[in-house]
């Protein structure tokens, strides 16, 4: 599975990355997670929903499982 999305970084913590790492471990799959752009959605930070966010990064996550 490939996921391309934005991740709000709050107090220097990428909560999405942490949650996906936990999920990958729970499902016994590998995860390649990479920040592609550190602050592409800067204008969104003005919205109340992102009041606590330091920045919103574009990230890619690739989940893979070894062939049986």
């Amino acid at each position: 599975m490939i996921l391309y999305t934005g991740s709000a970084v709050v107090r220097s913590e990428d909560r999405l990355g942490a949650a996906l790492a936990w999920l990958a471990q729970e499902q016994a799959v590998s995860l390649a997670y990479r920040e592609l752009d550190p602050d592409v959605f800067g204008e969104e930070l003005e919205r109340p929903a992102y009041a606590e966010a330091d920045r919103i990064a574009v990230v890619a996550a690739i989940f893979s499982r070894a062939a049986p």
Side-chain angles (χ1 to χ4, degrees), residues 4 10 14 25 29 39-43 45 47-48 52 57-59 62-64 68:
Y4 174 79
V10 179
D14 180 350
Q25 183 177 2
V29 297
D39 194 18
V40 75
F41 298 114
E43 71 281 354
L45 294 175
R47 296 177 184 249
E52 295 184 23
V58 172
V59 299
I62 302 171
F63 291 93
S64 57

Side-chain angles (χ1 to χ4, degrees), residues 6-62:
S7 178
V9 177
V10 179
R11 293 182 202 94
S12 300
E13 180 185 354
D14 180 350
R15 295 176 184 177
L16 176 62
L20 293 178
W22 177 86
L23 180 63
Q25 183 177 2
E26 286 293 307
Q27 297 299 313
V29 297
S30 64
L31 170 65
Y33 186 83
R34 185 169 152 213
E35 189 173 289
L36 303 176
D37 190 318
D39 194 18
V40 75
F41 298 114
E43 71 281 354
E44 293 294 321
L45 294 175
E46 297 173 10
R47 296 177 184 249
Y50 296 107
E52 295 184 23
D54 304 327
R55 58 194 177 86
I56 303 170
V58 172
V59 299
I62 302 171

